[in-house]
């Protein structure tokens, strides 16, 4: 085992323990929380090392970087089943690459983007699992549909072919105090439950990162997106080696 493998195995183990403690504290089965390793700006060797430690889900923010990793890893290790999640803002001219290469998309905030993903998902692939991103903190600088417009968007996305709407995602404004961390997650959970009550078959809440995953799990997160606590401090995107 290489030093990179040892480091990532230890880091992943600590994160899994945090997930387990947080889930059990509120009577949840830790297995209901999926760990998504955010590998943006880290190269394929880091992803391969994490995969050797048992990690299967990886998140990417940048389309070109993510597609390059997906293609290289599928060529090098075709038998290793990894699931790739696109979690960054989506430009219209990038939807074809996302629809062709990724398994999940967490960041749909416009119907136009969902329609393009729907039309560009190859017919031979499984339906693309998607989430609607909600701007629960109301920050002007953040992506995501406004809370009061989220229901209409979610119902419209759910009707599109080649997509499977699974739930909601949010990136709240950073907070240090646990109770303040929980508030936006609680708002997202309330919206999620309202959509389920309105007839949508949803099962996924993607919320919580390295600094607030415990608060997210208390409020019902089923996917936590963790980068720094697994891979360490990030290099600049231009420095990442594919």
């Amino acid at each position: 085992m290489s030093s990179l493998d040892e480091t990532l195995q230890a880091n992943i183990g600590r994160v899994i323990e945090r997930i387990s403690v947080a889930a059990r504290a509120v009577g949840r089965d830790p297995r209901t929380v999926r760990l998504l390793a955010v590998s943006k700006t880290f190269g394929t060797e880091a992803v391969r090392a994490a995969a050797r430690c048992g990690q299967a889900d990886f998140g990417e923010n940048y389309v070109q970087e993510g597609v390059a990793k997906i293609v290289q890893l599928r060529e090098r290790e075709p038998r290793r089943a990894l699931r790739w999640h696109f979690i960054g803002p989506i430009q219209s001219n990038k939807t074809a690459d996302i629809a062709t290469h990724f398994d999940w998309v967490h960041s749909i905030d416009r119907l136009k983007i969902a329609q393009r993903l729907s039309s560009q998902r190859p017919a031979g692939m499984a339906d693309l699992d998607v989430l609607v991103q909600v701007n629960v903190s109301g920050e002007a600088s953040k992506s995501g549909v406004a809370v009061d417009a989220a229901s209409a968007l979610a119902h419209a996305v759910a009707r599109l072919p080649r997509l499977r709407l699974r739930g909601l995602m949010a990136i709240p404004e950073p907070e240090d105090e646990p109770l303040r961390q929980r508030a936006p997650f609680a708002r997202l959970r309330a919206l999620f439950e309202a959509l389920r009550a309105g007839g949508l078959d949803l099962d996924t809440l993607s919320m919580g990162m390295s600094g607030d995953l415990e608060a997210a799990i208390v409020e019902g997160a089923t996917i936590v997106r963790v980068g720094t606590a697994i891979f360490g401090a990030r290099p600049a995107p231009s420095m990442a080696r594919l």
Side-chain angles (χ1 to χ4, degrees), residues 9-60:
Q9 185 173 60
N11 291 348
I12 291 169
R14 281 190 288 268
V15 173
I16 290 174
E17 178 62 17
R18 289 175 61 189
I19 291 170
S20 180
V21 169
R24 293 188 188 283
V26 290
R28 295 184 61 189
D29 183 341
R31 293 173 295 181
T32 64
V33 184
R34 184 186 306 195
L35 173 58
L36 174 58
V38 180
S39 48
K40 66 175 182 180
T41 75
F42 289 94
T44 54
E45 286 310 310
V47 174
R48 292 177 72 191
R52 288 193 292 269
C53 297
Q55 180 62 32
D57 290 272
F58 293 89
E60 293 288 329

Side-chain angles (χ1 to χ4, degrees), residues 3-236:
S3 60
L4 178 59
D5 288 58
E6 291 175 350
T7 297
L8 293 184
Q9 185 173 60
N11 291 348
I12 291 169
R14 281 190 288 268
V15 173
I16 290 174
E17 178 62 17
R18 289 175 61 189
I19 291 170
S20 180
V21 169
R24 293 188 188 283
V26 290
R28 295 184 61 189
D29 183 341
R31 293 173 295 181
T32 64
V33 184
R34 184 186 306 195
L35 173 58
L36 174 58
V38 180
S39 48
K40 66 175 182 180
T41 75
F42 289 94
T44 54
E45 286 310 310
V47 174
R48 292 177 72 191
R52 288 193 292 269
C53 297
Q55 180 62 32
D57 290 272
F58 293 89
E60 293 288 329
N61 284 61
Y62 310 112
V63 177
Q64 185 175 359
E65 176 192 340
V67 169
K69 289 179 194 175
I70 292 168
V71 171
Q72 288 184 27
L73 286 165
R74 284 176 178 164
E75 289 175 351
R76 292 181 188 180
E77 301 188 46
R79 296 184 181 180
R80 191 180 293 279
L82 303 181
R83 290 180 294 270
W84 292 93
H85 302 239
F86 190 77
I87 61 176
I90 303 174
Q91 298 175 323
S92 294
N93 63 349
K94 302 294 186 181
T95 53
D97 282 337
I98 295 172
T100 300
H101 293 282
F102 285 85
D103 304 295
W104 283 72
V105 176
H106 291 226
S107 46
I108 291 177
D109 61 0
R110 289 168 287 159
L111 182 58
K112 174 184 176 182
I113 293 298
Q115 290 170 331
R116 290 178 64 88
L117 291 171
S118 171
S119 66
Q120 294 167 337
R121 183 68 166 176
M125 298 182 71
D127 289 355
L128 183 62
D129 289 314
V130 300
L131 305 173
V132 168
Q133 182 175 353
V134 183
N135 188 346
V136 288
S137 298
E139 297 174 83
S141 61
K142 285 281 179 70
S143 299
V145 64
V147 172
D148 59 3
S151 178
L153 177 59
H155 280 87
V157 171
R159 290 192 290 268
L160 294 172
R162 313 296 301 135
L163 304 182
R164 181 186 175 195
L165 180 64
R166 300 291 297 270
L168 305 175
M169 184 271 261
I171 308 173
E173 184 176 8
E175 290 282 1
D176 294 326
E177 203 280 319
L179 285 178
R180 288 200 295 269
Q181 287 178 345
R182 286 179 57 179
F185 297 140
R187 287 195 292 273
L188 192 70
R189 173 64 180 269
L191 176 60
F192 174 81
E193 296 296 352
L195 292 174
R196 283 165 52 95
L200 292 182
D201 182 17
L202 307 181
D203 61 8
T204 303
L205 274 172
S206 171
M207 58 189 193
M209 298 186 286
S210 293
D212 58 8
L213 66 86
E214 287 87 355
I217 290 170
V218 169
E219 295 298 340
T222 62
I223 295 178
V224 291
R225 308 179 305 275
V226 178
T228 304
I230 293 175
F231 295 106
R234 298 193 181 282

